[in-house]
Amino acid sequence: MNTKQIVPGPLSRRKSLPVQVGHVIVGGSNPIVVQSMTNTDTGDIKGTVKQIAALARSGSEIVRITVDRDEAARAVPHIRDGLDKMGVNVPLVGDFHYIGHRLLSDHPACAEALAKYRINPGNVGRRAKRDMQFSAMIETATRNQKPVRIGVNWGSLDQDLAIQMMDENAKLSEPRDAAEVTRAALIESAIGSAERAEVLGMAREKIILSAKVSDVQALIAVYRGLAVRGDYALHLGLTEAGMGSKGIVASVAAMGVLLQEGIGDTIRVSLTPEPGGDRAREVIVAQEILQTMGLRSFLPLVTACPGCGRTTSTVFQELADQIQSFIRAEMPGWKKRYPGVETMNVAVMGCIVNGPGESKHADIGISLPGTGEQPAAPVFIDGEKRMTLRGANIVEEFKRIVERYVAKRYACKDSEDILDQKKINVSELEG
């Protein structure tokens, strides 16, 4: 039987309108943006500033904060001032529910300090009150020249619209199941609200849409439906991904499919933190999704051996962990001094089976000795074996070699020269 090999081509992004959020542009041909949300009490100015700064340092390019009451609204301009004094220029998004129209009206300094407003059409009142309160928020955004994210959620879906669509479905000769109608209602709520915002005078390029659910297959179906209904920029993510590995797997499974199809202009991985866990974990996961898919580069990738019976020593595991931590700690300074360093690949392998080969494919790699192998660790630089490390200080020696490699290869002002600056002098690396 003849078979034809299918070779995947480059990913093609869905066309969307670019939306300016502070200094960050979401959509169009711009890179997919990583964002996150605080879980502090926004009224706690000091604590919220601290967490936003930590999220920004981790790579969150937009941060959303809850604005749920007067105290929170009053705190927003002070939070913005605190971040500015720290040199943290991350755009802030206000998350409004129920009384957002009043908070924006009563606290103009809050409305001005925010870079974007998030509006949930299911939580702005019902019937005539909904139209009045939604209109008030859109008018405030337009007056302040702020974009909005119209974010519908299956946990707070517009009940009037849902009931109407369920009633219409029941009259069909072949009714659809309730889950399909719910997905259709999410899409209609988002699109209908965006069209209403345009009628009220909001420019199309000021609107971002999202339709959040917590089920992987439902999310894929809803966003495929949204993607063909217009050119609005789309915010992608599960509404509650979950905790730990479950949350990570669910996010990758859902967003990986959509991103592969070119759907999504900004993403958030909504992880439930472990008790006392780091909120920035969701930022790191979002970055890793985009980088492993080849959509963006944030920091050098470390390829590490998973281990087997040939690698009973934990040296390669410890080295991989230390190198990854070392790179992440150095990246804030490296990114300023060494343009292009985020594209570097590092390999830390545990034995001779795949070690040399994987190390050759990396920019810089080390193949550690496995069980029963000679106590020597060849180092490969730009595809060639350049030196061999021995002794008890392999970990620290390799870290110094990586640091010198970065300084020599990426210390050029013209980023186009980076790709040509390949061969590094071994004596310079050995110091």
Side-chain angles (χ1 to χ4, degrees):
M1 182 176 67
N2 292 328
T3 59
K4 182 179 179 181
Q5 184 178 11
I6 299 176
V7 180
L11 299 184
S12 177
R13 287 274 299 279
R14 162 186 170 269
K15 292 183 179 179
S16 63
L17 292 173
V19 180
Q20 186 92 32
V21 182
H23 67 278
V24 176
I25 303 178
V26 175
S29 60
N30 299 283
I32 297 167
V33 173
V34 171
Q35 60 178 284
S36 58
M37 184 176 184
T38 59
N39 60 357
T40 57
D41 177 357
T42 306
D44 174 7
I45 297 171
K46 184 177 179 180
T48 302
V49 167
K50 181 180 178 181
Q51 188 174 86
I52 293 170
L55 290 169
R57 283 194 296 269
S58 297
S60 185
E61 294 158 304
I62 295 174
V63 176
R64 181 159 47 112
I65 58 177
T66 296
V67 187
D68 58 345
R69 64 196 194 283
D70 290 297
E71 183 183 3
R74 282 192 292 268
V76 170
H78 299 290
I79 291 168
R80 179 72 271 167
D81 289 344
L83 292 168
D84 290 342
K85 290 176 183 177
M86 296 172 65
V88 179
N89 188 29
V90 63
L92 299 180
V93 178
D95 195 50
F96 294 99
H97 296 274
Y98 307 111
I99 59 170
H101 62 292
R102 183 181 66 76
L103 293 175
L104 286 170
S105 174
D106 292 351
H107 302 278
C110 168
E112 177 60 31
L114 294 169
K116 185 177 72 173
Y117 311 154
R118 186 277 175 110
I119 305 172
N120 183 342
N123 285 340
V124 291
R126 300 190 66 181
R127 301 184 177 88
K129 183 180 289 187
R130 177 186 61 235
D131 292 340
M132 177 187 68
Q133 293 176 177
F134 178 81
S135 298
M137 295 184 75
I138 294 298
E139 288 165 2
T140 300
T142 303
R143 184 170 59 253
N144 285 285
Q145 298 184 322
K146 307 290 184 178
V148 299
R149 170 162 71 96
I150 296 174
V152 300
N153 190 303
W154 74 352
S156 53
L157 181 59
D158 180 346
Q159 289 303 299
D160 293 330
L161 176 62
I163 292 169
Q164 175 190 331
M165 293 184 67
M166 287 291 184
D167 289 343
E168 292 173 351
N169 180 65
K171 297 174 183 178
L172 298 175
S173 57
E174 296 183 10
R176 298 174 292 174
D177 63 55
E180 187 177 353
V181 178
T182 299
R183 293 195 296 268
L186 284 166
I187 296 169
E188 287 303 321
S189 179
I191 296 295
S193 298
E195 292 174 345
R196 173 63 178 160
E198 289 190 67
V199 169
L200 292 168
M202 174 155 281
R204 197 176 182 85
E205 59 271 17
K206 291 284 190 181
I207 300 172
I208 298 173
L209 297 185
S210 69
K212 296 289 195 75
V213 300
S214 56
D215 177 80
V216 169
Q217 295 297 338
L219 189 87
I220 293 170
V222 168
Y223 274 87
R224 282 173 174 169
L226 274 179
V228 298
R229 290 288 299 271
D231 55 3
Y232 298 107
L234 297 180
H235 169 115
L236 197 60
L238 292 164
T239 186
E240 295 108 5
M243 181 179 288
S245 60
K246 184 270 178 185
I248 294 172
V249 170
S251 297
V252 173
M255 289 194 279
V257 171
L258 293 167
L259 291 168
Q260 184 69 24
E261 296 177 1
I263 298 171
D265 300 295
T266 178
I267 68 170
R268 186 212 169 183
V269 176
S270 300
L271 295 181
T272 303
E274 304 285 349
D278 188 355
R279 186 66 167 180
R281 180 61 178 154
E282 67 177 42
V283 178
I284 295 170
V285 172
Q287 291 179 327
E288 289 174 345
I289 291 172
L290 295 177
Q291 185 150 350
T292 54
M293 291 187 70
L295 297 170
R296 285 191 68 179
S297 293
F298 295 95
L299 77 164
L301 289 176
V302 176
T303 301
C305 172
C308 67
R310 300 179 65 94
T311 57
T312 54
S313 168
T314 61
V315 173
F316 81 92
Q317 297 167 328
E318 294 164 358
L319 177 56
D321 180 65
Q322 289 187 42
I323 291 299
Q324 183 74 73
S325 299
F326 168 71
I327 288 172
R328 188 168 289 280
E330 294 293 327
M331 273 305 290
W334 282 0
K335 286 184 73 173
K336 295 177 181 178
R337 300 193 302 273
Y338 308 125
V341 67
E342 66 275 5
T343 65
M344 181 177 69
N345 289 308
V346 180
V348 179
M349 305 303 294
C351 76
I352 60 172
V353 173
N354 292 319
E358 287 283 357
S359 296
K360 288 178 183 177
H361 286 299
D363 294 305
I364 181 168
I366 186 169
S367 181
L368 295 165
T371 304
E373 295 175 12
Q374 293 295 318
V379 175
F380 295 81
I381 298 169
D382 298 325
E384 297 180 5
K385 180 180 174 181
R386 306 293 284 275
M387 64 188 77
T388 300
L389 303 182
R390 294 181 174 86
N393 295 318
I394 287 178
V395 172
E396 292 305 316
E397 287 183 37
F398 187 64
K399 286 168 67 174
R400 285 194 292 269
I401 290 170
V402 170
E403 189 166 25
R404 293 191 183 105
Y405 178 84
V406 169
K408 295 296 180 182
R409 179 173 176 182
Y410 298 99
C412 53
K413 295 181 180 179
D414 187 351
S415 59
E416 292 183 359
D417 291 340
I418 293 172
L419 297 177
D420 297 327
Q421 191 178 334
K422 295 293 289 183
K423 298 302 179 184
I424 307 297
N425 187 285
V426 175
S427 63
E428 292 177 332
L429 291 177
E430 291 176 330

